[in-house]
Each structure stands twice: as C-alpha cells, then as structure tokens.
Amino acid sequence: MASNNFPSQSHLLVIIIFIIVTLLTPITTNTSPQPWNILSNDNFAGKLTSASSSVEAASIDFGHVTKIYPSAVLNPSSVQDIIDLIKLSFDSQSSFPIAARGHGHSFRGQAAAKDGVVVNMRSMVNEDRGIKVSRTGLYADVDTAWLWIEVLNKTLELGLTPVSWTDYLYLTVGGTLSNGGISGQTSRYGPQISNVLELDIITGKGEIATCSNDMNSDLFYAALGGLGQFGIITRARIKLELAPKRAKWLRFLYTDFSEFTRDQERLISEADGLHFLEGSVMLDHGPPDNWRSTYYPPSDHLRIVSMIKRHRVIYCLEVVKYYDEFSQHSVNEEMEELSESLNFVRGFVYEKDVTYIDFLNRVRTGELNLKSKGQWDVPHPWLNLFVPKSQISRFDYGVFKGIILRNNITTGPLLVYPMKRIMWNDQMSTAIPEEDVFYAVGFLRSAEFDNWEAYDKENMEVLMFCEDAKMDVIQYLPYHASQEGWVRHFGPRWNTFVERKYKYDPKMILSPGQNIFR
C-alpha cells in the first residue's frame, strides 16, 4: 500500500462525512431504549428474551475461541420484527448494536453483538413457506434464514438446483451471501454472490429495500460480501439450472507442486469443462484420519503413507463431472481422457460414482462422525486466504513445507485450489487479489480447548510470513484486530466501503462483531 503524508480527495471526503455525522448527532444522556429495558415492548412480546440459556447460546459460535454476550436475543417470526428492532435502535438517542445470526458457523465472533441484540434468523423458518421456485424463470426466491441443504432439497423436487455451493451445506443463505460463498464450483460458476439476481435488505436505518443489478444497485452490490455491514438480507433470488443425476468423482495424488498447480490452472481455463475442482495438502504428521477415508481403499493406505513419508508433503487434486442419463455414455470417456492429460503420480488415482446430492452433501458424513466422538463442538482456529497465482509457489515453500511442517501441530483439511477473477464482480464488497487467477487456501483446523492458542499463533506466523514477503495475500472470512488491518484488507476499496457504511448504517448499528467500525 503506497505511503503518503497527505490524504487523497476520496479519503478527505470520508473524513468530512464522518465529521458532519458526528456534529449532527446530539450529545444526550442515555435515556433511550436499550436491549435490557425494552423487553416489555409489546412489539416484541414473547420474541425478545434475556434468558441466560438464549444469551449463552448466542455468545458462542462454531469457532469456540470467543465468547461475546449480547444483552438479549430476538426470535423474530417475521421480517417486520427485525425492521421494528432496527428502527427502535436507529431512532433512539443512544442506539444499541444488532447482529444477525444464522447457523452460528462464524469462528471469531463475527455474528456477535456485545451488550446488544442478536437476531436469531433461524426462528423465522417455516416449512410451509420460505422457498418459492420458478421453473420458467430458473430461479428460487429464498428466505435467507434457510440452510443451503434445505434449498437443495426443495429445488431438487422440481428437478432444479443452484449452481454454486460451499463445501458444507448446513449454512444459512444469508450467512454465505454476506461473505462470498466458495468451493470447487467457483472456478466454473463464480462464488455464490455472483449467482444472485435480487435481494431484500433491511438497512441500518430500518428501511427495507428490494435491490438488484437494475434497482438500488449500490445497496445490492454493497450487501453481497458486505459482512453484514449495510443491512440484514432477508430474501435472495438464486439462479437455478437443471439438476444432474450423478457425479463422477476422481482424486489424483501429486508429489510435485508445480505439476499440481499447472494442471489445476489448465483445467479451470477450459470452457465447459469440469463442474468441480479442489486441491488439498497431505502432510507427514497429524492423525491419519486427515486423509484416510472412503476416498482411498484400505489396500492402498500403506502405499500412500509410504509416499507421504518419502516426500513429507504431497498434494491431492479432486475433480468432478456431473452427468445424467443423456451424458452417462460419454462421461467415462471424458474422464479417461482427462486422466491421461494430467501429470499425477501414475497408479494413484481414485474414482467414485455417487448421486448428485450425496456429492454436494459429502461433508455431512464427517460432521456426524465427529459429533458422535464429541469432536465437533471444539475450537476451530481457521485461517482462509486468497493468494495471488504469482505467489503460490513461494507460499508452498514457505508455509506448507516450512512453517506447517516445522511446527508440526496442524490437524484438519488444508485446501489449495485456483479460481478466476473474471467470475467475481468488482462492485461487490468482497476483497480479492488483483491477478486474473488466485488461489483459495484454507487451514480448516480442529483444536482442543487447552491448545487452540498454538494454532492461532501459527496463523499469525503465516500472515506475518506473507506480509514480510509482500505477497498481497487477502483473508477470506476475514478477522482483523484493528481498523488499520481492515484498511489494508480492503485496500483501494476501503473508501467506498466506508461511504456505503455511512449511507446505509450511519449509526454503526449492524454487525459490530466484525470489528470494522468502532
């Protein structure tokens, strides 16, 4: 980031806006409604609670590394309940913070509202309404409190499906659209935020707006990947296409990182190619269950162990081609040709043929297994990064073969796969690298309650390595401890992000857990 002693014109504009808002905000004593003294408000009767069980549940998330207590939890039965709550805060002389919480899958308190109100979005789910599918328009209007697995099940009833997914489907629609929504389909279809046609959003002023590319477009693009800063998304119109029936699913093992990345980059460049592509890293330490699964036959476990021991770090390329009764005769030939074109270690290719829904919901089996062992509700000090293509080899050498091997503590999947910048829209809020191709790198760790800080320290070591090497790495599902970190995160987009915040949430009511605005 360029250093300059003088603020730019756009930065000056942001400062002026801040001063004007500050001067126009009256200094008053704290006599306005607060979460702890509006429990008797008739509008929220039976919906707003300060019960210790509800507050405790809202204080933690999937990460289990923070505990941030709200004063109350709202269990809305309608969108109007959320509008009323935000208006109450906005119209107050001293507003209180509000955060929308879906399935609680954040991992650093991003859906928390310290001393404020957490909105339990899942309380609005009604099985008789909430998802309306248009076969002619090829879209679904979805209440964003619904989980993606629920959307999938509903659309498949009509032979349709969304096209872009996350690896784990038990996340709310509103939650992933507020971040991006990525997985192995992103290289072909773009992130989930690139597959939305329309949104309903309640801004920080308590105003609801329908928006799209053609209507209220600034709010539309602000909210997509906007980390909940500009409004609470209550409805999304999601693109659909005809659903395939099955998935041909192949895994290839590599020992050479250059060959591994070269093959990935070639495959994502091919038009109308694969429907899914992800890569992962396999290390010479950690529990064998990190990679030993039904993906690899037991008879090959010793061979794979031997290869890992010999090379210390190996890589897995995972690709999928969907098919149905019309394409079932050609899919085997296509995948055989693909296999012959790749530079994996011969003799280490593994194939599965599964139903479409079983492939998309593949993480669920692992989740249930971990839950049965009491290993799901544990700390998850995750780190997700976007690494420019030009830096990925340095990252491999310095991080996978350096920091991670040296520290010898990492457990859980390590993902590394490319995506194309052209599949993203620069008007959206999500920060991404400038290069045409960049890699998603995910350290999806599980820890113990008495040692998660060691993983967090390793995360900081990785980030420091990238910063010292000037790699221009950007966090996905970001966390920054200071506003300075957020300024660096958004780079040239920061001023636009701030201007939109003052436009749609001038009192800084929404999503304080992101720690962007004080």
Side-chain angles (χ1 to χ4, degrees):
M1 203 171 178
S3 175
N4 197 322
N5 292 327
F6 299 97
S8 65
Q9 287 185 338
S10 57
H11 202 163
L12 280 172
L13 177 60
V14 173
I15 295 171
I16 291 169
I17 293 172
F18 176 80
I19 294 171
I20 291 172
V21 171
T22 302
L23 291 175
L24 292 178
T25 301
I27 300 175
T28 64
T29 58
N30 187 11
T31 59
S32 56
Q34 292 293 304
W36 52 88
N37 59 27
I38 62 173
L39 294 173
S40 60
N41 189 305
D42 289 341
N43 289 337
F44 308 115
K47 301 173 184 177
L48 190 69
T49 177
S50 61
S52 59
S53 58
S54 296
V55 170
E56 179 73 23
S59 72
I60 57 176
D61 57 19
F62 178 73
H64 285 283
V65 299
T66 62
K67 185 167 280 192
I68 303 172
Y69 288 94
S71 292
V73 175
L74 178 68
N75 295 298
S77 59
S78 67
V79 170
Q80 189 61 48
D81 290 336
I82 305 174
I83 293 173
D84 290 343
L85 181 72
I86 296 176
K87 277 187 174 180
L88 183 64
S89 180
F90 181 75
D91 292 339
S92 301
Q93 293 176 336
S94 180
S95 57
F96 52 86
I98 298 170
R101 176 187 172 101
H103 210 213
H105 208 75
S106 57
F107 49 89
R108 202 80 192 211
Q110 287 92 336
K114 180 177 171 59
D115 299 330
V117 178
V118 167
V119 180
N120 174 23
M121 299 295 289
R122 288 289 290 167
S123 72
M124 291 199 300
V125 171
N126 185 322
E127 292 185 5
D128 296 327
R129 56 180 171 80
I131 301 178
K132 299 177 181 177
V133 179
S134 171
R135 289 181 60 90
T136 55
L138 288 179
Y139 64 79
D141 280 322
V142 180
D143 289 353
T144 55
W146 284 69
L147 304 178
W148 281 101
I149 183 64
E150 295 166 337
V151 176
L152 175 62
N153 288 330
K154 188 71 172 180
T155 58
L156 284 179
E157 291 176 4
L158 298 174
L160 300 172
T161 178
V163 296
S164 187
W165 298 95
T166 51
D167 289 324
Y168 180 61
L169 301 186
Y170 290 76
L171 307 172
T172 60
V173 173
T176 66
L177 296 185
S178 295
N179 287 282
I182 64 170
S183 77
Q185 291 94 351
T186 303
S187 58
R188 175 165 179 157
Y189 297 103
Q192 290 182 318
I193 56 175
S194 293
N195 291 276
V196 179
L197 302 173
E198 191 174 279
L199 298 172
D200 285 347
I201 302 171
I202 309 170
T203 70
K205 300 176 182 179
E207 300 169 347
I208 188 165
T210 297
C211 51
S212 66
N213 181 60
D214 302 314
M215 176 173 49
N216 298 314
S217 60
D218 184 67
L219 178 59
F220 177 71
Y221 289 118
L224 292 170
L227 305 175
Q229 294 302 302
F230 313 110
I232 295 177
I233 305 172
T234 59
R235 179 188 65 90
R237 178 167 289 180
I238 308 296
K239 292 180 185 177
L240 304 178
E241 67 175 25
L242 293 176
K245 296 294 193 302
R246 300 190 66 82
K248 185 72 70 173
W249 186 4
L250 274 67
R251 289 186 170 212
F252 307 89
L253 299 186
Y254 290 72
T255 58
D256 187 300
F257 188 73
S258 296
E259 299 284 7
F260 171 65
T261 53
R262 189 179 300 118
D263 279 351
Q264 288 194 81
E265 291 162 16
R266 177 178 63 81
L267 291 173
I268 69 167
S269 71
E270 296 176 352
D272 196 32
L274 297 164
H275 295 102
F276 176 96
L277 180 149
E278 280 189 0
S280 57
V281 182
M282 300 159 69
L283 301 172
D284 181 24
H285 66 74
D289 286 343
N290 280 358
W291 59 267
R292 278 187 192 170
S293 67
T294 55
Y295 303 134
Y296 306 105
S299 59
D300 267 19
H301 285 184
L302 289 178
R303 294 176 65 225
I304 296 173
V305 167
S306 176
M307 185 161 66
I308 295 175
K309 291 290 184 185
R310 189 163 61 252
H311 295 277
R312 303 292 312 281
V313 181
I314 69 171
Y315 312 92
C316 175
L317 171 61
E318 184 176 0
V319 299
V320 171
K321 186 84 173 180
Y322 303 147
Y323 70 96
D324 55 24
E325 61 270 23
F326 302 107
S327 55
Q328 62 182 345
H329 300 295
S330 62
V331 67
N332 287 330
E333 182 179 337
E334 290 176 19
M335 296 303 264
E336 184 175 340
E337 290 178 0
L338 179 143
S339 298
E340 291 174 355
S341 73
L342 299 178
N343 294 298
F344 65 98
V345 180
R346 289 303 186 255
F348 289 90
V349 56
Y350 304 93
E351 178 180 324
K352 295 185 73 175
D353 194 305
V354 297
T355 65
Y356 177 64
I357 191 168
D358 283 347
F359 170 71
L360 292 181
N361 201 26
R362 62 198 177 280
V363 178
R364 180 65 167 173
T365 301
E367 175 196 358
L368 295 176
N369 181 48
L370 290 172
K371 282 184 173 179
S372 69
K373 299 176 181 178
Q375 298 174 357
W376 182 258
D377 294 319
V378 297
H380 295 97
W382 286 9
L383 177 65
N384 292 274
L385 303 172
F386 289 150
V387 180
K389 170 187 168 181
S390 65
Q391 303 296 324
I392 196 63
S393 292
R394 293 174 71 197
F395 189 94
D396 170 63
Y397 183 78
V399 177
F400 296 143
K401 293 172 181 169
I403 294 171
I404 304 302
L405 273 183
R406 182 173 64 249
N407 292 343
N408 196 30
I409 63 172
T410 289
T411 58
L414 297 184
L415 304 181
V416 53
Y417 59 94
M419 49 189 65
K420 299 178 288 189
R421 197 177 200 283
I422 196 173
M423 304 305 295
W424 299 68
N425 189 315
D426 275 339
Q427 297 178 81
M428 297 174 184
S429 291
T430 304
I432 58 175
E434 292 297 325
E435 294 187 10
D436 291 340
V437 173
F438 57 91
Y439 278 76
V441 177
F443 299 84
L444 309 185
R445 299 158 158 147
S446 297
E448 302 294 335
F449 284 96
D450 60 356
N451 74 347
W452 70 266
E453 291 92 344
Y455 294 84
D456 207 40
K457 182 179 179 181
E458 185 173 82
N459 288 344
M460 296 306 298
E461 189 177 355
V462 170
L463 291 171
M464 186 60 66
F465 169 82
C466 294
E467 184 176 342
D468 290 345
K470 296 180 169 50
M471 288 186 175
D472 294 325
V473 164
I474 294 175
Q475 287 188 49
Y476 174 67
L477 306 177
Y479 171 80
H480 296 282
S482 67
Q483 192 171 85
E484 181 184 358
W486 285 107
V487 173
R488 290 196 303 269
H489 174 82
F490 285 107
R493 300 182 182 207
W494 171 249
N495 288 341
T496 298
F497 197 86
V498 174
E499 289 164 9
R500 283 170 162 173
K501 183 67 170 178
Y502 282 118
K503 183 177 180 180
Y504 300 115
D505 184 22
K507 287 195 173 184
M508 315 290 175
I509 291 169
L510 299 175
S511 295
Q514 296 284 0
N515 199 39
I516 303 175
F517 300 98
R518 300 290 182 180

